[in-house]
Amino acid sequence: MCRTLATFPNTCLERAKEFKTRLGIFLHKSELSSESGSLGKFEWASKHCKERSFSEDVLGWRESFDLLLSSKNGVAAFHAFLKTEFSEENLEFWLACEEFKKIRSAAKLASQAHRIFDEYIRSEAPKEVNIDHETRELTKTNLQAATASCFDVAQGKTRTLMEKDSYPRFLKSPAYRDLAAQASATSSPASSSSPAAEPSHT
């Protein structure tokens, strides 16, 4: 299916396979929901060998929550981890809000706002997120004249909850630690992330 794979050096393919296996720990029996349209499939290698950038990506997840959320692989791994804690709705809601902000049509904005509210915000919603009553009521009021920012407060609170609660546990999970160790081992000898650190032998 992907012809370019045949042209990759064997070591690159082997390392990509290693990473895929390691990340499979996170994704074990975890079908990523494509309902929100935000959780796509992994892109292991395309155009060029990316084992180095992928290992840097994995190590970046522990630097900040923002880096994790800006990485497709990071979001997918974090989503799978949240599934093990039965709290994946928080990330799914955050992602749905990110997609919602991109909508340009006023009619579509209004219909999507109600869909997101019904799915994540209203009491006893199928994927109800953990927010306080005040925020829930404020969001309900915002729906009367839906704008791209009508979920901002609820999204912010959900994000803070994930960053302070689930994210530290994700970083301490054996699966992530194992993956990070593998990424460190791969990135160090291959090429250090800082270009200045070149070995000079005389």
Side-chain angles (χ1 to χ4, degrees):
M1 196 142 183
C2 181
R3 280 180 201 157
T4 53
L5 283 176
T7 63
F8 287 167
N10 285 341
T11 52
C12 174
L13 287 175
E14 279 161 24
R15 283 183 177 168
K17 278 179 193 168
E18 268 179 44
F19 278 126
K20 191 169 183 178
T21 307
R22 301 264 175 184
L23 212 42
I25 297 167
F26 286 114
L27 303 174
H28 182 56
K29 290 189 176 173
S30 174
E31 285 275 30
L32 295 183
S33 162
S34 54
E35 214 174 340
S36 66
S38 307
L39 292 169
K41 295 213 160 101
F42 291 123
E43 296 170 2
W44 294 107
S46 59
K47 296 185 184 174
H48 304 294
C49 174
K50 290 190 175 177
E51 102 249 27
R52 189 165 58 234
S53 61
F54 181 66
S55 64
E56 286 167 3
D57 185 29
V58 169
L59 295 173
W61 303 347
R62 64 189 179 198
E63 298 301 317
S64 76
F65 192 49
D66 283 328
L67 280 176
L68 175 71
L69 291 179
S70 65
S71 158
K72 272 188 184 180
N73 290 332
V75 165
F78 187 50
H79 179 259
F81 170 76
L82 291 176
K83 276 193 153 192
T84 67
E85 298 202 329
F86 305 100
S87 61
E88 68 271 18
E89 69 282 348
N90 292 322
L91 180 61
E92 288 173 13
F93 169 63
W94 186 87
L95 289 166
C97 290
E98 288 298 290
E99 289 302 307
F100 174 75
K101 291 177 198 171
K102 296 173 189 172
I103 297 172
R104 293 290 165 260
S105 148
K108 196 176 175 189
L109 201 72
S111 70
Q112 274 296 96
H114 282 90
R115 189 190 72 76
I116 291 171
F117 184 85
D118 286 341
E119 195 171 355
Y120 298 101
I121 304 290
R122 70 173 169 81
S123 292
E124 297 184 23
K127 296 181 178 181
E128 189 181 348
V129 293
N130 186 9
I131 53 172
D132 56 90
H133 176 72
E134 219 173 277
T135 305
R136 186 172 281 111
E137 288 305 304
L138 170 68
T139 309
K140 191 177 180 179
T141 305
N142 289 345
L143 289 196
Q144 291 167 16
T147 65
S149 61
C150 66
F151 292 108
D152 281 4
V153 176
Q155 185 189 18
K157 295 207 169 183
T158 306
R159 187 195 184 285
T160 302
L161 182 69
M162 288 192 293
E163 185 172 16
K164 294 194 170 166
D165 189 39
S166 311
Y167 174 58
R169 285 201 302 278
F170 168 73
L171 295 182
K172 286 175 189 166
S173 68
Y176 175 71
R177 290 167 86 133
D178 188 35
L179 189 63
Q182 179 69 20
S184 296
T186 304
S187 63
S188 303
S191 164
S192 104
S193 47
S194 89
E198 279 186 3
S200 59
H201 299 296
T202 351

